[in-house]
C-alpha cells in the first residue's frame, strides 16, 4: 500500500487486495409503490393469455381439429420454441444495449421492446388458431403446415420481446428483494387469472357444441373465437400497464450505480459476456429450464391425459386446468405474504418439488370422481411454487447488475424454450398412430407414461441442481476489480441531485 491513502471507503476483497469505492456515490435502495407493482403485474397478462392457448390447446387443436399428423404438429411446436429460444437472448442483448432510435428513450428501453412485442403478437396470434385461408380439401398437408410457420415465428419473436422486457423491469424498478418477490408473485397471480380467463372461455364455447363429446373439426369456430377474445382482452389490459408503469430514466446511470454499491460482491460490472464466467449462471439456468420443462410438459399433455387416459368428456379439458390454476392463484397469494417471503427460496423450491413428485406418482392410478380434481390441485400447487421461486432465484442472481439483466432472463428463456421444443418433438415422434377421434388403448398408456415419467425426471434432476446450490449464496460474485480512473471520473460527475431520478416513491 502507498503511504497516502485514497479518500473513501476501503473494502477488503481478498488478502492483499483492496478496492476503493467513493462514499458519496453509493446507490441507495429504490422501490415503487404497491399500486405500481400491480400495474407492473398486469404487463405480462396478454402474453399469459396467449401462452395458455399455445401450451394447453395448440397440440390438441392441431391434431384433433385440423387433423394434422402428430409428428407435424410437434414440428410446428418445435419451430415456435426454437424461434422463441433464439429470440430471447437476442432481445435481451438488444434491450440492454439500447439499439432502438433515440425517440424510444421517452418511454424506456424495456417498455419499448414490450410495446414492439405486443404489436407483433396482436398481428400474428389470431392466424394461428384459424384454418389456412388458401387451402382446399385436396391441398397437401405440408402446404397447410407451411402456412402456419411465418405466423408462429412472428408470434414467438413478439412473445419473447414482451417476456424478456417485462422480466428485466423487475430489478430496474426495485432493488429491495422482498419487493422483487412481491412483483414476481403479482406477475404470477395475473398469469393465473389469464389462464382462468382462457379456460372459462373454452369451457363455455365447448359446452355450446352439442352432439359431440370429444374435440374434433366441428370445434374450429370455438378455437377461432377464443383466439380473437385473447387478442381483444390482452390489448385492453396492456393499456393499464403502459398507463401506470414508469421505467426509471437514464438507464446507464442506474446500471452504473447499481454495480458500484457498498457490497464488495456486487462491485464488478457485468457485461453480458461476463456471466459466462460464473458457475451460478449455469446452475440457475439449468434449474429454471427444468422447472419450465416440468410446467409446460404437464400443461401441454394434460388435456390428452384427461380425455384419452382418464376418458373424461371434452369440457374437462377446460374445467380441470381451471381447477389447477385456481390452486396456483391461492399459492401465489400466500407466497406474497410477509411470513412466506421470509422463508428461504431453496426451502420453498423443495416444497414445490415434493408437491410435483406426488402429483406424478398419483397419475399412475385411475382417478374417478373427486380424485382427478385432487390431482389438478396438486399440479397447480407445484407449478406455482416452482415458477415463482425459480424467477425469484433468477432475480437474486442478477442482484444489482441490471445493466445486463435482460440478457440473463433471455439466456434462461433460451435454455427453457429450446429444451421444451426438443421434448415436444421427441414425444410426438413416439406417439402411437391412432384415429384422433376415437379412444385407443395404446395412446391411453402412452400419455399416462408421458405425464408421469417426463415431468418426474425433470423434478429429480432439479433437486440435484438445488443441492449443488445449497452451500452458496445466490447472487454473490467474488470477482471484484478496482475502479478504473475513467469510471471514477464518471462517478464523480454524478451529483447527489441525480438520485431523485432513480428512486421511486
Amino acid at each position: 500500500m502507498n503511504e497516502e491513502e485514497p479518500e473513501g471507503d476501503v473494502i477488503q476483497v481478498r488478502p492483499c487486495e483492496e478496492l476503493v469505492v467513493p462514499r458519496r456515490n453509493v446507490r441507495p435502495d429504490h422501490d415503487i409503490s404497491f399500486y405500481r407493482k400491480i400495474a407492473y403485474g398486469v404487463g405480462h397478462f396478454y402474453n399469459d393469455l396467449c401462452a395458455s392457448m399455445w401450451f394447453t390447446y395448440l397440440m390438441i387443436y392441431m391434431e384433433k381439429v385440423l387433423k394434422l399428423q402428430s409428428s407435424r404438429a410437434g414440428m410446428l411446436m418445435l419451430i415456435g420454441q426454437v424461434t422463441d429460444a433464439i429470440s430471447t437472448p437476442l432481445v435481451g442483448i438488444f434491450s440492454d444495449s439500447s439499439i432502438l432510435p433515440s425517440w424510444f428513450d421517452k418511454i424506456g428501453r424495456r417498455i419499448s421492446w414490450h410495446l414492439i412485442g405486443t404489436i407483433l403478437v396482436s398481428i400474428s396470434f389470431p392466424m394461428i388458431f384459424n384454418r389456412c385461408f388458401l387451402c382446399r380439401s385436396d391441398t397437401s398437408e405440408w402446404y397447410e403446415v407451411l402456412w402456419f410457420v411465418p405466423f408462429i415465428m412472428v408470434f414467438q419473436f413478439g412473445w419473447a420481446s414482451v417476456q424478456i422486457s417485462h422480466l428485466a423491469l423487475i430489478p430496474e424498478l426495485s432493488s429491495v428483494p422482498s419487493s422483487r418477490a412481491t412483483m414476481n408473485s403479482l406477475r404470477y397471480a395475473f398469469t393465473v387469472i389469464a389462464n382462468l380467463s382462457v379456460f372459462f372461455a373454452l369451457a363455455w364455447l365447448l359446452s355450446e357444441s352439442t352432439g359431440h363429446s370429444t374435440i374434433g373439426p366441428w370445434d374450429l369456430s370455438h378455437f377461432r373465437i377464443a383466439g380473437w377474445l385473447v387478442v381483444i382482452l390482452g390489448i385492453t389490459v396492456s393499456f393499464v400497464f403502459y398507463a401506470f408503469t414508469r421505467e426509471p430514466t437514464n438507464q446507464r446511470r442506474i446500471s452504473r450505480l447499481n454495480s458500484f454499491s457498498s457490497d464488495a460482491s456486487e462491485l464488478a460490472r457485468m457485461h453480458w459476456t461476463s456471466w459466462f464466467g460464473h458457475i451460478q449462471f449455469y446452475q440457475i439456468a439449468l434449474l429454471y429450464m427444468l422447472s419450465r420443462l416440468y410446467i409446460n410438459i404437464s400443461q401441454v399433455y394434460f388435456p390428452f391425459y384427461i380425455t384419452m387416459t382418464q376418458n373424461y368428456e371434452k369440457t374437462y379439458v377446460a374445467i380441470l386446468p381451471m381447477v389447477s390454476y385456481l390452486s396456483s392463484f391461492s399459492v401465489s397469494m400466500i407466497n406474497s405474504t410477509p411470513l412466506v417471503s421470509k422463508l428461504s427460496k431453496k426451502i420453498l423450491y423443495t416444497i414445490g418439488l415434493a408437491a410435483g413428485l406426488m402429483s406424478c406418482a398419483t397419475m399412475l392410478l385411475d382417478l374417478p370422481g373427486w380424485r382427478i380434481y385432487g390431482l389438478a390441485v396438486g399440479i397447480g400447487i407445484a407449478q406455482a411454487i416452482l415458477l415463482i421461486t425459480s424467477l425469484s432465484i433468477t432475480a437474486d442472481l442478477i442482484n444489482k447488475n441490471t445493466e445486463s439483466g435482460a440478457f440473463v432472463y433471455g439466456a434462461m428463456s433460451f435454455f427453457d424454450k429450446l429444451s421444451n421444443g426438443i421434448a415436444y418433438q421427441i414425444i410426438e415422434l413416439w406417439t402411437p398412430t391412432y384415429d384422433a377421434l376415437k379412444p385407443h388403448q395404446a395412446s391411453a398408456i402412452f400419455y399416462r407414461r408421458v405425464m408421469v415419467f417426463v415431468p418426474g425426471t425433470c423434478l429429480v434432476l432439479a433437486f440435484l441442481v438445488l443441492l449443488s446450490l445449497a452451500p452458496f449464496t445466490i447472487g454473490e460474485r467474488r470477482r471484484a476489480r478496482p475502479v478504473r480512473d475513467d469510471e471514477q471520473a464518471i462517478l464523480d460527475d454524478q451529483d447527489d441531485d441525480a438520485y431523485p431520478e432513480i428512486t421511486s416513491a
Side-chain angles (χ1 to χ4, degrees), residues 429-494:
L429 290 174
W430 285 353
T431 301
T433 303
Y434 65 95
D435 187 338
L437 304 181
K438 296 179 181 179
H440 192 276
Q441 184 62 26
S443 62
I445 296 172
F446 175 78
Y447 288 115
R448 185 191 300 276
R449 290 175 176 172
V450 167
M451 287 294 290
V452 171
F453 295 110
V454 178
T457 301
C458 294
L459 295 177
V460 172
L461 293 175
F463 178 69
L464 296 177
V465 176
L466 188 67
L467 286 179
S468 71
L469 284 167
F472 306 103
T473 301
I474 296 173
E476 184 178 58
R477 287 178 281 280
R478 302 180 182 278
R479 293 179 58 191
R481 61 172 173 77
V483 180
R484 299 197 311 265
D485 292 339
D486 58 338
E487 291 170 340
Q488 179 69 56
I490 293 173
L491 287 170
D492 289 340
D493 290 339
Q494 295 171 347

Side-chain angles (χ1 to χ4, degrees), residues 134-398:
L134 305 179
C135 300
R136 300 188 302 271
S137 58
D138 59 343
T139 302
S140 168
E141 187 175 287
W142 275 111
Y143 186 86
E144 189 172 4
V145 170
L146 292 175
W147 165 266
F148 288 103
V149 170
F151 297 113
I152 287 175
M153 294 180 71
V154 171
F155 163 70
Q156 290 291 2
F157 181 81
W159 198 95
S161 299
V162 173
Q163 181 200 32
I164 298 307
S165 57
H166 191 256
L167 286 171
L169 272 173
I170 293 178
E172 299 279 9
L173 295 175
S174 176
S175 63
V176 180
S178 60
S179 291
R180 291 180 176 184
T182 298
M183 283 191 281
N184 271 316
S185 295
L186 289 170
R187 182 180 186 272
Y188 188 72
F190 285 107
T191 297
V192 174
I193 295 173
N195 281 271
L196 291 177
S197 302
V198 170
F199 299 146
F200 271 118
L202 261 298
W204 172 68
L205 290 169
L206 293 175
S207 67
E208 295 294 310
S209 176
T210 58
H212 300 286
S213 61
T214 60
I215 293 177
W218 43 83
D219 291 307
L220 173 64
S221 61
H222 301 141
F223 284 96
R224 181 191 294 130
I225 292 171
W228 280 108
L229 288 176
V230 162
V231 173
I232 294 170
L233 179 59
I235 292 175
T236 303
V237 174
S238 294
F239 277 119
V240 177
F241 169 76
Y242 295 128
F244 295 101
T245 303
R246 294 291 179 268
E247 183 176 345
T249 58
N250 203 337
Q251 296 294 339
R252 293 186 178 181
R253 173 182 294 169
I254 292 173
S255 299
R256 185 179 295 113
L257 289 179
N258 273 339
S259 297
F260 290 100
S261 70
S262 59
D263 188 346
S265 66
E266 299 166 0
L267 289 169
R269 295 216 43 220
M270 297 293 289
H271 185 261
W272 68 270
T273 58
S274 304
W275 292 101
F276 296 115
H278 295 272
I279 187 64
Q280 278 192 6
F281 175 77
Y282 301 99
Q283 291 173 297
I284 293 173
L286 185 57
L287 191 73
Y288 182 79
M289 180 195 77
L290 292 168
S291 302
R292 295 295 307 196
L293 196 57
Y294 164 78
I295 293 168
N296 292 336
I297 293 293
S298 300
Q299 188 173 353
V300 167
Y301 290 100
F302 197 32
F304 290 96
Y305 177 81
I306 293 167
T307 57
M308 306 192 70
T309 302
Q310 297 293 342
N311 295 318
Y312 283 90
E313 294 185 354
K314 66 180 181 180
T315 52
Y316 282 89
V317 303
I319 294 172
L320 292 175
M322 191 186 307
V323 172
S324 179
Y325 273 91
L326 281 172
S327 65
S328 293
F329 181 77
S330 302
V331 170
S332 65
M333 290 294 95
I334 294 172
N335 192 72
S336 62
T337 59
L339 178 62
V340 176
S341 62
K342 292 180 180 179
L343 291 177
S344 167
K345 294 182 180 67
K346 297 171 185 176
I347 294 176
L348 286 174
Y349 194 87
T350 304
I351 295 172
L353 290 175
L357 288 170
M358 289 178 62
S359 299
C360 290
T362 303
M363 282 186 279
L364 287 168
L365 309 173
D366 291 329
L367 302 171
W370 63 268
R371 293 176 180 84
I372 194 71
Y373 290 96
L375 171 64
V377 170
I379 291 175
I381 292 172
Q383 289 180 344
I385 295 175
L386 293 177
L387 181 58
I388 293 172
T389 311
S390 61
L391 285 172
S392 296
I393 289 173
T394 304
D396 289 345
L397 172 69
I398 296 171

Side-chain angles (χ1 to χ4, degrees), residues 384-434:
I385 295 175
L386 293 177
L387 181 58
I388 293 172
T389 311
S390 61
L391 285 172
S392 296
I393 289 173
T394 304
D396 289 345
L397 172 69
I398 296 171
N399 210 328
K400 294 185 177 182
N401 288 116
T402 61
E403 65 272 12
S404 53
F407 169 76
V408 174
Y409 284 115
M412 301 293 152
S413 190
F414 172 81
F415 295 115
D416 154 34
K417 303 302 170 49
L418 187 61
S419 64
N420 275 274
I422 294 172
Y424 298 143
Q425 182 67 89
I426 292 174
I427 291 171
E428 290 301 302
L429 290 174
W430 285 353
T431 301
T433 303
Y434 65 95

